[in-house]
Amino acid sequence: MTIVDLRSDTVTQPNQEMREAMMNAAVGDDVYGEDPTVNELQDMAAKTMGKEAGLFVPSGTMGNLAAMLVHCQRGDEVILGNKAHTFLFEAGGISALGGIHSLQLSNQADGSLLLDDIKHSIRGDDPHEPITKLIALENTHNRCGGTYQTPEYVNSVCSFAHEKGLIVHMDGARIFNAAIANNVPVKKITENVDSVTFCLSKGLCAPAGSVLCGNNEFIRKANRIRKQLGGGMRQVGILAAAGKVSLEKMTDRLVEDHIHAMKLAEALVKIPGIILNYGEPKTNMVFIQFSDEIPFTTEEFTQELSKLGIRIGIVGDRQYRMVTHYWIKDEDISLTIEGFQFLINKQHK
Ligand SMILES: *Cc1c(COP(=O)(O)O)cnc(C)c1O
């Protein structure tokens, strides 16, 4: 049976070209800074993001955490969104490990934070209050539906922050999806943020790894934090080799994932009882909700669907997420649509 795995783009496996690059990778001890393939990847990533330097890290979570630990001391405050991945899904690392206080603003529909809200959140010089240090953005925005923010918006936050002496970090786990959706080189989105993390292991298909980018001084400090967190990885050029293929070959094709997400959404919304939670998909994610018209319980439905070889994510009561990626082809989208139609029509009879 064909398995169509739409739970996340993290399920992507390396393709043949990546596996060959991994097998042939020149390696060295990266904790000594001597892994040539890691060094090449870090340089490529930095250039692509418009930054001086990059640091290969095991995960996006460690990239975000290392960045915030460099930017903030204990008792400092980060302004972030109430649906931010860093706030919801990184095990509270910034407060557990960094003593960093978070101030959560409502994410807008596109995943942005209102500049006015940010302005009103800056703390005064008052010993009762934490010290505002950092603003963290997320682009594309996962829990806002895979939505994206424009370079103009990001630049407006950066200008304001820098005027106030504040720092901007971007969780750009899927920043290349945002670049494709904005139809700009990724640098246009990231050039003014102080630091950015992006994932090689999601739509870009590498087996693991993220790159944190920023200026030389920042990366020098982040390297020490990575060591503190246990993220110094030795002959990790094996993984970086796949990451280089990600940057060279996997970014432009993301547009196909966006087209597939749109196709899937357009068909599903025609099934009575299915609602698109965040409107039309903006990148590679489709979020749907079942009305009471569809009698399946949340888990029943995913179980029935998985018997047909189709796997989707549960994100709430009668709410599901589907993420398109490299290994999802036209026929997989058709199979998924047919699976939904089959199960829901059967129930209606
Ligand atoms: C996946 C993700 C991360 C973290 O990535 P991991 O590599 O799984 O640690 C961070 N931010 C966002 C928005 C993500 O989707």
PDB file of all heavy atoms in Angstrom, residues 10 58-62 64 85-86 90 138-142 171-174 199 201-202 209-210 285 321, ligand 1:
ATOM      1  N   THR A  10       8.429  17.335   8.341  1.00  0.00           N
ATOM      2  CA  THR A  10       9.577  16.754   9.049  1.00  0.00           C
ATOM      3  C   THR A  10       9.742  15.272   8.716  1.00  0.00           C
ATOM      4  O   THR A  10      10.788  14.695   9.012  1.00  0.00           O
ATOM      5  CB  THR A  10       9.417  16.863  10.583  1.00  0.00           C
ATOM      6  OG1 THR A  10       8.206  16.205  10.964  1.00  0.00           O
ATOM      7  CG2 THR A  10       9.375  18.305  11.037  1.00  0.00           C
ATOM      8  N   PRO A  58      21.876  20.973  15.748  1.00  0.00           N
ATOM      9  CA  PRO A  58      21.120  19.734  15.532  1.00  0.00           C
ATOM     10  C   PRO A  58      19.647  19.946  15.204  1.00  0.00           C
ATOM     11  O   PRO A  58      19.041  19.124  14.527  1.00  0.00           O
ATOM     12  CB  PRO A  58      21.249  18.995  16.875  1.00  0.00           C
ATOM     13  CG  PRO A  58      22.380  19.615  17.579  1.00  0.00           C
ATOM     14  CD  PRO A  58      22.503  21.014  17.083  1.00  0.00           C
ATOM     15  N   SER A  59      19.048  21.030  15.694  1.00  0.00           N
ATOM     16  CA  SER A  59      17.606  21.213  15.490  1.00  0.00           C
ATOM     17  C   SER A  59      17.253  22.692  15.472  1.00  0.00           C
ATOM     18  O   SER A  59      18.028  23.536  15.942  1.00  0.00           O
ATOM     19  CB  SER A  59      16.829  20.532  16.626  1.00  0.00           C
ATOM     20  OG  SER A  59      17.072  21.230  17.835  1.00  0.00           O
ATOM     21  N   GLY A  60      16.068  22.971  14.973  1.00  0.00           N
ATOM     22  CA  GLY A  60      15.568  24.345  15.006  1.00  0.00           C
ATOM     23  C   GLY A  60      15.385  24.819  16.434  1.00  0.00           C
ATOM     24  O   GLY A  60      15.635  25.989  16.755  1.00  0.00           O
ATOM     25  N   THR A  61      14.951  23.906  17.280  1.00  0.00           N
ATOM     26  CA  THR A  61      14.754  24.247  18.689  1.00  0.00           C
ATOM     27  C   THR A  61      16.067  24.720  19.318  1.00  0.00           C
ATOM     28  O   THR A  61      16.098  25.740  20.017  1.00  0.00           O
ATOM     29  CB  THR A  61      14.201  23.022  19.460  1.00  0.00           C
ATOM     30  OG1 THR A  61      12.934  22.663  18.886  1.00  0.00           O
ATOM     31  CG2 THR A  61      14.024  23.324  20.931  1.00  0.00           C
ATOM     32  N   MET A  62      17.167  23.992  19.036  1.00  0.00           N
ATOM     33  CA  MET A  62      18.439  24.428  19.600  1.00  0.00           C
ATOM     34  C   MET A  62      18.900  25.755  18.977  1.00  0.00           C
ATOM     35  O   MET A  62      19.481  26.593  19.654  1.00  0.00           O
ATOM     36  CB  MET A  62      19.538  23.372  19.462  1.00  0.00           C
ATOM     37  CG  MET A  62      20.768  23.768  20.269  1.00  0.00           C
ATOM     38  SD  MET A  62      22.192  22.685  20.113  1.00  0.00           S
ATOM     39  CE  MET A  62      21.671  21.265  21.066  1.00  0.00           C
ATOM     40  N   ASN A  64      16.975  28.263  17.912  1.00  0.00           N
ATOM     41  CA  ASN A  64      16.228  29.347  18.555  1.00  0.00           C
ATOM     42  C   ASN A  64      16.708  29.572  19.986  1.00  0.00           C
ATOM     43  O   ASN A  64      16.872  30.713  20.433  1.00  0.00           O
ATOM     44  CB  ASN A  64      14.731  29.021  18.587  1.00  0.00           C
ATOM     45  CG  ASN A  64      14.077  29.146  17.216  1.00  0.00           C
ATOM     46  OD1 ASN A  64      14.517  29.936  16.379  1.00  0.00           O
ATOM     47  ND2 ASN A  64      13.040  28.366  16.977  1.00  0.00           N
ATOM     48  N   HIS A  85       6.036  29.123  17.905  1.00  0.00           N
ATOM     49  CA  HIS A  85       6.626  27.809  18.165  1.00  0.00           C
ATOM     50  C   HIS A  85       7.532  27.862  19.390  1.00  0.00           C
ATOM     51  O   HIS A  85       7.496  26.978  20.246  1.00  0.00           O
ATOM     52  CB  HIS A  85       7.415  27.353  16.930  1.00  0.00           C
ATOM     53  CG  HIS A  85       7.764  25.903  16.925  1.00  0.00           C
ATOM     54  ND1 HIS A  85       8.840  25.401  17.614  1.00  0.00           N
ATOM     55  CD2 HIS A  85       7.184  24.831  16.319  1.00  0.00           C
ATOM     56  CE1 HIS A  85       8.902  24.087  17.420  1.00  0.00           C
ATOM     57  NE2 HIS A  85       7.915  23.720  16.641  1.00  0.00           N
ATOM     58  N   THR A  86       8.320  28.929  19.493  1.00  0.00           N
ATOM     59  CA  THR A  86       9.226  29.089  20.645  1.00  0.00           C
ATOM     60  C   THR A  86       8.454  29.138  21.954  1.00  0.00           C
ATOM     61  O   THR A  86       8.951  28.722  22.989  1.00  0.00           O
ATOM     62  CB  THR A  86      10.029  30.406  20.552  1.00  0.00           C
ATOM     63  OG1 THR A  86       9.384  31.287  19.661  1.00  0.00           O
ATOM     64  CG2 THR A  86      11.427  30.153  20.103  1.00  0.00           C
ATOM     65  N   GLU A  90       8.555  24.464  22.351  1.00  0.00           N
ATOM     66  CA  GLU A  90       9.980  24.227  22.573  1.00  0.00           C
ATOM     67  C   GLU A  90      10.262  23.960  24.052  1.00  0.00           C
ATOM     68  O   GLU A  90      11.318  24.295  24.584  1.00  0.00           O
ATOM     69  CB  GLU A  90      10.811  25.372  21.955  1.00  0.00           C
ATOM     70  CG  GLU A  90      10.648  25.330  20.439  1.00  0.00           C
ATOM     71  CD  GLU A  90      11.332  26.401  19.622  1.00  0.00           C
ATOM     72  OE1 GLU A  90      12.220  27.089  20.146  1.00  0.00           O
ATOM     73  OE2 GLU A  90      10.961  26.545  18.450  1.00  0.00           O
ATOM     74  N   GLU A 138       8.214  34.860  13.688  1.00  0.00           N
ATOM     75  CA  GLU A 138       8.196  33.508  13.104  1.00  0.00           C
ATOM     76  C   GLU A 138       7.637  33.597  11.686  1.00  0.00           C
ATOM     77  O   GLU A 138       6.551  34.136  11.478  1.00  0.00           O
ATOM     78  CB  GLU A 138       7.317  32.595  13.979  1.00  0.00           C
ATOM     79  CG  GLU A 138       7.230  31.165  13.479  1.00  0.00           C
ATOM     80  CD  GLU A 138       6.428  30.284  14.447  1.00  0.00           C
ATOM     81  OE1 GLU A 138       6.538  30.462  15.687  1.00  0.00           O
ATOM     82  OE2 GLU A 138       5.671  29.420  13.960  1.00  0.00           O
ATOM     83  N   ASN A 139       8.399  33.059  10.718  1.00  0.00           N
ATOM     84  CA  ASN A 139       8.037  33.228   9.312  1.00  0.00           C
ATOM     85  C   ASN A 139       8.588  32.055   8.495  1.00  0.00           C
ATOM     86  O   ASN A 139       9.800  31.894   8.455  1.00  0.00           O
ATOM     87  CB  ASN A 139       8.664  34.555   8.815  1.00  0.00           C
ATOM     88  CG  ASN A 139       7.949  35.136   7.621  1.00  0.00           C
ATOM     89  OD1 ASN A 139       6.906  34.652   7.207  1.00  0.00           O
ATOM     90  ND2 ASN A 139       8.520  36.185   7.041  1.00  0.00           N
ATOM     91  N   THR A 140       7.719  31.188   7.896  1.00  0.00           N
ATOM     92  CA  THR A 140       6.275  31.202   7.936  1.00  0.00           C
ATOM     93  C   THR A 140       5.793  30.878   9.345  1.00  0.00           C
ATOM     94  O   THR A 140       6.549  30.357  10.150  1.00  0.00           O
ATOM     95  CB  THR A 140       5.662  30.156   6.957  1.00  0.00           C
ATOM     96  OG1 THR A 140       6.029  28.836   7.386  1.00  0.00           O
ATOM     97  CG2 THR A 140       6.197  30.367   5.547  1.00  0.00           C
ATOM     98  N   HIS A 141       4.538  31.170   9.591  1.00  0.00           N
ATOM     99  CA  HIS A 141       4.013  30.956  10.922  1.00  0.00           C
ATOM    100  C   HIS A 141       3.207  29.665  10.978  1.00  0.00           C
ATOM    101  O   HIS A 141       2.144  29.550  10.370  1.00  0.00           O
ATOM    102  CB  HIS A 141       3.168  32.133  11.381  1.00  0.00           C
ATOM    103  CG  HIS A 141       3.105  32.198  12.878  1.00  0.00           C
ATOM    104  ND1 HIS A 141       2.438  31.260  13.622  1.00  0.00           N
ATOM    105  CD2 HIS A 141       3.675  33.042  13.761  1.00  0.00           C
ATOM    106  CE1 HIS A 141       2.593  31.549  14.913  1.00  0.00           C
ATOM    107  NE2 HIS A 141       3.344  32.614  15.018  1.00  0.00           N
ATOM    108  N   ASN A 142       3.737  28.707  11.749  1.00  0.00           N
ATOM    109  CA  ASN A 142       3.176  27.364  11.807  1.00  0.00           C
ATOM    110  C   ASN A 142       1.725  27.383  12.327  1.00  0.00           C
ATOM    111  O   ASN A 142       0.780  27.058  11.599  1.00  0.00           O
ATOM    112  CB  ASN A 142       4.100  26.532  12.714  1.00  0.00           C
ATOM    113  CG  ASN A 142       3.803  25.052  12.688  1.00  0.00           C
ATOM    114  OD1 ASN A 142       2.687  24.644  12.396  1.00  0.00           O
ATOM    115  ND2 ASN A 142       4.807  24.250  12.995  1.00  0.00           N
ATOM    116  N   ASP A 171      12.526  33.151  13.916  1.00  0.00           N
ATOM    117  CA  ASP A 171      12.389  31.713  13.788  1.00  0.00           C
ATOM    118  C   ASP A 171      11.916  31.469  12.359  1.00  0.00           C
ATOM    119  O   ASP A 171      10.727  31.555  12.060  1.00  0.00           O
ATOM    120  CB  ASP A 171      11.374  31.193  14.812  1.00  0.00           C
ATOM    121  CG  ASP A 171      11.106  29.694  14.642  1.00  0.00           C
ATOM    122  OD1 ASP A 171      11.694  29.087  13.726  1.00  0.00           O
ATOM    123  OD2 ASP A 171      10.307  29.160  15.433  1.00  0.00           O
ATOM    124  N   GLY A 172      12.892  31.205  11.498  1.00  0.00           N
ATOM    125  CA  GLY A 172      12.576  30.992  10.082  1.00  0.00           C
ATOM    126  C   GLY A 172      12.676  29.526   9.729  1.00  0.00           C
ATOM    127  O   GLY A 172      13.254  29.161   8.707  1.00  0.00           O
ATOM    128  N   ALA A 173      12.096  28.675  10.587  1.00  0.00           N
ATOM    129  CA  ALA A 173      12.111  27.228  10.338  1.00  0.00           C
ATOM    130  C   ALA A 173      11.764  26.945   8.867  1.00  0.00           C
ATOM    131  O   ALA A 173      12.421  26.150   8.205  1.00  0.00           O
ATOM    132  CB  ALA A 173      11.134  26.524  11.271  1.00  0.00           C
ATOM    133  N   ARG A 174      10.735  27.637   8.370  1.00  0.00           N
ATOM    134  CA  ARG A 174      10.318  27.466   6.970  1.00  0.00           C
ATOM    135  C   ARG A 174      10.465  28.775   6.199  1.00  0.00           C
ATOM    136  O   ARG A 174       9.602  29.158   5.417  1.00  0.00           O
ATOM    137  CB  ARG A 174       8.873  26.965   6.914  1.00  0.00           C
ATOM    138  CG  ARG A 174       8.690  25.572   7.489  1.00  0.00           C
ATOM    139  CD  ARG A 174       7.275  25.042   7.323  1.00  0.00           C
ATOM    140  NE  ARG A 174       7.134  23.718   7.934  1.00  0.00           N
ATOM    141  CZ  ARG A 174       6.937  23.521   9.239  1.00  0.00           C
ATOM    142  NH1 ARG A 174       6.846  24.547  10.074  1.00  0.00           N
ATOM    143  NH2 ARG A 174       6.839  22.297   9.706  1.00  0.00           N
ATOM    144  N   CYS A 199      15.373  25.580   9.182  1.00  0.00           N
ATOM    145  CA  CYS A 199      15.491  24.122   9.269  1.00  0.00           C
ATOM    146  C   CYS A 199      15.827  23.528   7.912  1.00  0.00           C
ATOM    147  O   CYS A 199      15.173  23.826   6.912  1.00  0.00           O
ATOM    148  CB  CYS A 199      14.174  23.516   9.758  1.00  0.00           C
ATOM    149  SG  CYS A 199      13.792  23.931  11.463  1.00  0.00           S
ATOM    150  N   SER A 201      15.716  20.250   7.801  1.00  0.00           N
ATOM    151  CA  SER A 201      15.107  18.932   7.990  1.00  0.00           C
ATOM    152  C   SER A 201      13.615  18.895   7.693  1.00  0.00           C
ATOM    153  O   SER A 201      12.968  17.880   7.905  1.00  0.00           O
ATOM    154  CB  SER A 201      15.317  18.510   9.442  1.00  0.00           C
ATOM    155  OG  SER A 201      14.754  19.485  10.293  1.00  0.00           O
ATOM    156  N   LYS A 202      13.064  19.997   7.212  1.00  0.00           N
ATOM    157  CA  LYS A 202      11.617  19.999   6.922  1.00  0.00           C
ATOM    158  C   LYS A 202      11.420  19.909   5.417  1.00  0.00           C
ATOM    159  O   LYS A 202      11.850  18.934   4.825  1.00  0.00           O
ATOM    160  CB  LYS A 202      10.986  21.226   7.560  1.00  0.00           C
ATOM    161  CG  LYS A 202      11.061  21.098   9.074  1.00  0.00           C
ATOM    162  CD  LYS A 202      10.413  22.208   9.828  1.00  0.00           C
ATOM    163  CE  LYS A 202      10.413  21.820  11.310  1.00  0.00           C
ATOM    164  NZ  LYS A 202      10.075  22.939  12.174  1.00  0.00           N
ATOM    165  N   GLY A 209      19.058  18.791  11.162  1.00  0.00           N
ATOM    166  CA  GLY A 209      19.890  19.986  11.220  1.00  0.00           C
ATOM    167  C   GLY A 209      19.190  21.274  10.855  1.00  0.00           C
ATOM    168  O   GLY A 209      18.233  21.298  10.082  1.00  0.00           O
ATOM    169  N   SER A 210      19.673  22.335  11.481  1.00  0.00           N
ATOM    170  CA  SER A 210      19.229  23.691  11.205  1.00  0.00           C
ATOM    171  C   SER A 210      20.477  24.556  11.162  1.00  0.00           C
ATOM    172  O   SER A 210      21.543  24.132  11.618  1.00  0.00           O
ATOM    173  CB  SER A 210      18.303  24.192  12.318  1.00  0.00           C
ATOM    174  OG  SER A 210      17.053  23.547  12.245  1.00  0.00           O
ATOM    175  N   MET A 285       0.761  24.273   4.114  1.00  0.00           N
ATOM    176  CA  MET A 285      -0.039  23.675   5.181  1.00  0.00           C
ATOM    177  C   MET A 285      -1.527  23.870   4.943  1.00  0.00           C
ATOM    178  O   MET A 285      -1.954  24.955   4.546  1.00  0.00           O
ATOM    179  CB  MET A 285       0.303  24.321   6.520  1.00  0.00           C
ATOM    180  CG  MET A 285       1.707  24.050   6.965  1.00  0.00           C
ATOM    181  SD  MET A 285       1.969  24.760   8.596  1.00  0.00           S
ATOM    182  CE  MET A 285       3.693  24.323   8.802  1.00  0.00           C
ATOM    183  N   ARG A 321      -4.290  18.886  10.576  1.00  0.00           N
ATOM    184  CA  ARG A 321      -3.309  19.591   9.757  1.00  0.00           C
ATOM    185  C   ARG A 321      -2.712  18.635   8.748  1.00  0.00           C
ATOM    186  O   ARG A 321      -2.401  17.496   9.071  1.00  0.00           O
ATOM    187  CB  ARG A 321      -2.184  20.164  10.630  1.00  0.00           C
ATOM    188  CG  ARG A 321      -1.204  21.020   9.849  1.00  0.00           C
ATOM    189  CD  ARG A 321      -0.020  21.493  10.706  1.00  0.00           C
ATOM    190  NE  ARG A 321       0.936  20.403  10.891  1.00  0.00           N
ATOM    191  CZ  ARG A 321       2.206  20.580  11.282  1.00  0.00           C
ATOM    192  NH1 ARG A 321       2.637  21.801  11.570  1.00  0.00           N
ATOM    193  NH2 ARG A 321       3.015  19.556  11.412  1.00  0.00           N
TER     194      ARG A 321
HETATM  195  C1  LIG B   1       9.828  22.769  13.441  1.00  0.00           C
HETATM  196  C2  LIG B   1       9.873  24.141  13.943  1.00  0.00           C
HETATM  197  C3  LIG B   1      10.879  24.574  14.825  1.00  0.00           C
HETATM  198  C4  LIG B   1      11.895  23.662  15.481  1.00  0.00           C
HETATM  199  O1  LIG B   1      12.386  22.673  14.757  1.00  0.00           O
HETATM  200  P1  LIG B   1      12.982  21.307  15.318  1.00  0.00           P
HETATM  201  O2  LIG B   1      14.060  21.069  14.318  1.00  0.00           O
HETATM  202  O3  LIG B   1      11.876  20.329  15.245  1.00  0.00           O
HETATM  203  O4  LIG B   1      13.513  21.524  16.680  1.00  0.00           O
HETATM  204  C5  LIG B   1      10.886  25.890  15.180  1.00  0.00           C
HETATM  205  N1  LIG B   1       9.966  26.737  14.727  1.00  0.00           N
HETATM  206  C6  LIG B   1       8.983  26.369  13.896  1.00  0.00           C
HETATM  207  C7  LIG B   1       8.006  27.377  13.424  1.00  0.00           C
HETATM  208  C8  LIG B   1       8.891  25.054  13.477  1.00  0.00           C
HETATM  209  O5  LIG B   1       7.901  24.679  12.682  1.00  0.00           O
END
